Amino acid sequence: MVLSIEQLVFIVGNGLIFGSILALVAVGLSLIFGVLDVPNFAQGEFASVTGFVIVGLVGLGIGLVPSIIAGIVFAFVAGVAVERLVISKFYGRDEFLLLTFFATFGITIISENVLRQIFGGFRQIPGPDIGSIVVAGTSVNLLRPAAGAIAVGMLIGLYIFTRYTYMGLAMRAVADDRRGAEMIGVNYERIYMLTFGIGAVLTGISGVLYGMLFTLSPTSGVALTAFAFTIVVVGGVGSFFGTILASLLIGLVDSFTATMVGSRWRFFAIFAVLFIVLVLRPEGLRGGST
């Protein structure tokens, strides 16, 4: 099949935009794992729950902007609550990784079923109409590049926060050496709460963008979590830029696969990429870098 310029622009544009949204989920997951050593299998749920909260608030007649603000605040509170009420109970336990796996997996099951009972099936956040432009003969809704730009802006903001602010540097210190950070006065419990909250907010924002461009379902969180874990492994665990690079790669692979052979093959193609990377470069695309 030979692609026209219009088709190529559409596929690449969609892939990069979707990849930038996935990067928010993956970076949030990587941040939480890097600081707390928690493999958060409920990471994608922050996106789907935030999206559905906004759908519900808009349905009640609350404006879109106030609903988005409320949804993001909810994501932060939910992240802190999960860390304080669930994850913190397992600190110091020999089975920490196993316990947090089952706990976050349980949160995923509960979240999915609650969303299904309250909202039923598929929903979409009514995004604002900001017009469209024509690129290579293809009409492009400006909401799509705007969503990508917002995602990129959030990633740049996180990079600046973690490297040039006291709390960001404290988070990195706790990730490197918790005991050493505690000895110089860093309250690691507060850092744990903040990290989980920020990770939830990043993913919640991805849920807002995803819900405007695509369709939310009670199982969207599971799919986004699968994407995020794949991206973190492909990019290299602990690598910020590797995670972003892998997100864009996975977004492009997903877009090309869905267009060329059908969406039912998307996960096959993505996990094929994961397999190839693990065989050729087990440390990931940028393993060992930060």
Side-chain angles (χ1 to χ4, degrees):
M1 177 180 178
V2 178
L3 294 174
S4 67
I5 296 297
E6 291 81 3
Q7 289 174 315
L8 188 61
V9 169
F10 176 80
I11 293 171
V12 172
N14 271 355
L16 293 177
I17 291 168
F18 185 45
S20 64
I21 294 174
L22 289 178
L24 291 175
V25 187
V27 169
L29 173 67
S30 182
L31 184 68
I32 290 173
F33 183 76
V35 177
L36 283 79
D37 289 327
V38 173
N40 186 15
F41 283 85
Q43 189 68 32
E45 297 307 310
F46 291 119
S48 59
V49 171
T50 300
F52 274 107
V53 165
I54 294 170
V55 168
L57 292 176
V58 171
L60 293 175
I62 299 174
L64 178 61
V65 173
S67 297
I68 291 175
I69 294 173
I72 293 172
V73 171
F74 177 85
F76 180 80
V77 173
V80 171
V82 168
E83 190 279 328
R84 282 290 87 193
L85 300 178
V86 180
I87 305 300
S88 66
K89 309 302 179 185
F90 308 132
Y91 295 148
R93 300 278 294 272
D94 292 336
E95 312 87 354
F96 180 74
L97 284 176
L98 185 63
L99 291 171
T100 53
F101 162 75
F102 281 115
T104 55
F105 185 75
I107 291 171
T108 296
I109 300 299
I110 294 170
S111 172
E112 182 179 325
N113 281 278
V114 169
L115 291 177
R116 182 175 286 109
Q117 291 299 319
I118 296 175
F119 295 98
F122 298 94
R123 297 293 183 91
Q124 190 167 21
I125 299 173
D129 183 7
I130 58 176
S132 61
I133 58 174
V134 176
V135 179
T138 302
S139 179
V140 178
N141 186 341
L142 284 174
L143 185 60
R144 289 181 174 273
I150 291 171
V152 171
M154 292 301 302
L155 293 169
I156 293 173
L158 178 67
Y159 182 83
I160 294 172
F161 173 79
T162 56
R163 282 159 176 78
Y164 301 105
T165 68
Y166 171 78
M167 294 304 294
L169 291 172
M171 288 167 59
R172 298 184 71 190
V174 171
D176 290 337
D177 184 357
R178 196 201 80 181
R179 292 185 181 275
E182 194 175 7
M183 288 177 63
I184 62 173
V186 175
N187 186 328
Y188 76 89
E189 291 188 349
R190 184 179 300 171
I191 294 300
Y192 283 176
M193 285 193 298
L194 179 66
T195 301
F196 226 100
I198 291 176
V201 166
L202 289 172
T203 304
I205 292 173
S206 77
V208 177
L209 302 176
Y210 184 91
M212 288 183 179
L213 301 184
F214 309 103
T215 303
L216 288 167
S217 79
T219 60
S220 293
V222 175
L224 290 173
T225 298
F227 274 113
F229 270 96
T230 302
I231 287 167
V232 169
V233 174
V234 169
V237 177
S239 172
F240 179 82
F241 291 109
T243 299
I244 294 175
L245 178 63
S247 298
L248 298 177
L249 172 62
I250 294 299
L252 288 170
V253 170
D254 179 80
S255 184
F256 271 97
T257 303
T259 303
M260 302 291 288
V261 296
S263 58
R264 66 184 181 277
W265 291 97
R266 61 195 302 208
F267 281 107
F268 172 83
I270 289 164
F271 285 115
V273 172
L274 173 62
F275 176 78
I276 292 170
V277 171
L278 287 176
V279 170
L280 299 179
R281 191 175 172 83
E283 70 274 20
L285 298 178
R286 289 177 60 92
S289 63
T290 58

